[in-house]
Amino acid sequence: MTSSSSADLVYDMDRWWVREWQKIQPEKDLYRYYRLTLQQNLWGEWELIKSWGRIGQRPTRVVALSVAEPEHAEILAAAVAKTRKLHGYLPDGV
């Protein structure tokens, strides 16, 4: 029986990213964000973390999805960006 040690793990942090969208409507007291984070877990597997909530507070919801490759996360991120735009969110920094 062979076991994989932590020395065998490869973390490709150059491929990690965070994308965020915000929806701010002060007249409705609406300050929301939606964030996607691509990272590797402790075992080196790729995860796409979706989180959202009120700006300045802890996320209301956090959902972790396993993805085989970072390229798969890019496809999901494009779909999320389209949906966020339809719901009135803007990319953070715009």
Side-chain angles (χ1 to χ4, degrees), residues 5-23:
S5 70
S6 61
D8 297 335
L9 292 177
V10 177
Y11 294 103
D12 190 359
M13 294 180 70
D14 290 335
R15 297 175 80 184
W16 293 22
W17 50 255
V18 175
R19 299 195 182 141
E20 187 169 300
W21 296 265
Q22 293 184 350
K23 184 175 185 178

Side-chain angles (χ1 to χ4, degrees), residues 4-56:
S4 178
S5 70
S6 61
D8 297 335
L9 292 177
V10 177
Y11 294 103
D12 190 359
M13 294 180 70
D14 290 335
R15 297 175 80 184
W16 293 22
W17 50 255
V18 175
R19 299 195 182 141
E20 187 169 300
W21 296 265
Q22 293 184 350
K23 184 175 185 178
I24 300 173
Q25 296 176 340
E27 65 280 359
K28 295 182 180 179
D29 194 31
L30 184 67
Y31 302 90
R32 309 290 297 164
Y33 73 90
Y34 193 98
R35 182 180 301 129
L36 290 180
T37 306
L38 178 67
Q39 63 190 30
Q40 288 169 283
N41 63 20
L42 292 173
W43 299 272
E45 300 164 339
W46 288 101
E47 290 185 334
L48 183 64
I49 311 296
K50 302 189 301 183
S51 57
W52 59 92
R54 185 173 172 91
I55 295 172

